């Protein structure tokens, strides 16, 4: 992973939920994070220097941004389980994350 760590994801979900949802393919978390970074860049590029935020050598970390990205990645990871529905709390967290990105995009919320 480039911006977050797998251990950080465990801050918001049980390790087992993450590992079982992504165990079938070693690149799953990396791929989900890359997609999430692209999504976040799309939302933030109007107001923020996203190349600086997601710099490979010196990224800029922000707690809100890390939480938003974590909620999106966890939702997408759990959603991969074809035999289960996504639990309501993951859906709610995903909605919160997208709403937060929209607020950042509209200038209603700022990262500090």
């Amino acid at each position: 992973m480039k911006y977050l760590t797998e251990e950080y994801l465990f801050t918001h979900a049980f390790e087992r939920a993450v590992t079982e949802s992504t165990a079938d393919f070693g690149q799953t978390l990396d791929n989900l994070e890359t997609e999430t970074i692209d999504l976040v860049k799309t939302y933030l590029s109007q107001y923020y220097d996203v190349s600086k935020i997601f710099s490979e050598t010196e990224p800029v970390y922000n707690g809100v941004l890390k939480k938003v990205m974590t909620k999106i990645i966890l939702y997408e990871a759990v959603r991969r389980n074809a035999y289960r529905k996504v639990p309501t709390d993951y859906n709610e967290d995903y909605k919160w994350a997208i709403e937060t990105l929209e607020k950042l995009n509209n200038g209603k919320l700022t990262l500090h």
Side-chain angles (χ1 to χ4, degrees):
M1 297 186 75
K2 299 174 193 173
Y3 189 78
L4 299 174
T5 64
E6 192 171 341
E7 290 76 26
Y8 185 80
L9 296 179
F10 304 152
T11 303
H12 294 274
F14 288 111
E15 181 177 352
R16 182 176 175 192
V18 176
T19 56
E20 284 182 4
S21 297
T22 59
D24 61 334
F25 182 63
Q27 291 292 112
T28 300
L29 283 178
D30 290 338
N31 293 344
L32 290 174
E33 184 191 44
T34 297
E35 291 174 359
T36 302
I37 288 171
D38 289 344
L39 176 69
V40 170
K41 283 180 176 180
T42 301
Y43 275 99
L44 299 184
S45 63
Q46 181 176 349
Y47 295 108
Y48 299 95
D49 182 351
V50 292
S51 60
K52 185 175 180 180
I53 292 172
F54 295 106
S55 165
E56 294 206 19
T57 55
E58 294 182 44
V60 177
Y61 294 101
N62 174 279
V64 172
L65 188 55
K66 287 172 67 173
K67 185 172 182 173
V68 164
M69 290 179 60
T70 298
K71 298 301 183 179
I72 293 170
I73 291 168
L74 290 174
Y75 171 81
E76 294 291 348
V78 170
R79 197 176 81 131
R80 295 179 73 246
N81 292 327
Y83 60 92
R84 287 190 242 170
K85 287 187 173 184
V86 177
T88 303
D89 53 340
Y90 285 95
N91 282 320
E92 293 300 317
D93 288 345
Y94 179 80
K95 287 178 189 176
W96 170 84
I98 297 299
E99 288 171 2
T100 301
L101 285 174
E102 289 171 355
K103 288 177 186 175
L104 289 165
N105 180 278
N106 295 328
K108 295 180 180 179
L109 186 68
T110 58
L111 298 174
H112 293 283

